[in-house]
Amino acid sequence: MSALPSGRYLPDEHATEALGVELAQWLADPVNSADKALVYLHGELGAGKTTLVRGILRGLGHTGAVKSPTYTLLEPYDAQALYHFDLYRIADSRELEFIGMDDLLAENVVKVVEWPERGGDRLPRPDVEVYLEVDGKARRARLQAGDPA
Ligand code: ADP
Ligand code: MG
């Protein structure tokens, strides 16, 4: 599967996870050279970003728990070669220097980032962006390769 899904209506959390599994397949497909891709997840609190990451990790073979790294900023999944960031609690983008963000982003793993907006202009352009929106009790997703600009 070399095409990135572009948009999706997600009636429940299982649909969000299933989209994550699809995204994992895209990231893992050698055709896409996306095994160290930088993925930004946009959307308000509760939009389903962490649920999507859970799906991505399942798609990469992770069977254990997936906790939100809201307080730790980063949860590494070494067996899946994936780093899960949540920058929600970053008050100042200079905090990224303290956690050595540049070095972390240079690692040879997939990087998935919730709340990339909090990183300010210190963060590089992503390879994939996902926009999640609440739609009643459901969600809508839009995916985009590269930078929209
Ligand atoms: P975020 O990380 O964006 O804050 P979460 O992934 O933690 O959001 O999800 C918040 C809640 O929304 C969870 O209870 C989750 O099960 C639920 N959820 C995720 N996707 C959907 C969906 N497509 N429809 C309805 N609820 C969803
Ligand atoms: Mg979250």
Side-chain angles (χ1 to χ4, degrees):
M1 186 185 72
S2 58
L4 193 64
S6 60
R8 193 68 58 82
Y9 179 72
L10 305 167
D12 57 27
E13 64 177 311
H14 302 291
T16 305
E17 273 203 43
L19 178 63
V21 171
E22 273 184 57
L23 188 51
Q25 286 164 354
W26 186 86
L27 292 165
D29 189 334
V31 168
N32 301 314
S33 307
D35 55 329
K36 43 183 188 286
L38 180 58
V39 181
Y40 286 174
L41 305 184
H42 303 280
E44 63 185 271
L45 271 182
K49 300 180 295 298
T50 299
T51 306
L52 187 73
V53 176
R54 185 170 295 120
I56 294 171
L57 284 163
R58 294 273 178 268
L60 295 175
H62 178 72
T63 53
V66 174
K67 50 184 178 174
S68 185
T70 305
Y71 293 95
T72 52
L73 296 181
L74 166 64
E75 190 68 36
Y77 295 87
D78 292 330
Q80 283 69 45
L82 185 146
Y83 286 174
H84 178 196
F85 294 91
D86 185 340
L87 306 184
Y88 183 67
R89 301 225 157 243
I90 293 247
D92 184 317
S93 62
R94 278 174 296 185
E95 285 177 41
L96 294 178
E97 282 172 31
F98 289 102
I99 67 165
M101 192 67 174
D102 289 348
D103 291 339
L104 291 169
L105 292 180
E107 302 244 1
N108 198 18
V109 297
V110 171
K111 279 81 57 176
V112 183
V113 185
E114 298 186 42
W115 295 101
E117 301 82 5
R118 304 276 164 126
D121 53 14
R122 285 165 190 269
L123 289 184
R125 292 180 172 202
D127 301 297
V128 177
E129 293 195 275
V130 182
Y131 296 85
L132 287 161
E133 268 181 39
V134 176
D135 183 350
K137 287 184 178 171
R139 308 287 187 271
R140 281 180 194 279
R142 192 163 57 79
L143 287 81
Q144 203 160 54
D147 195 277

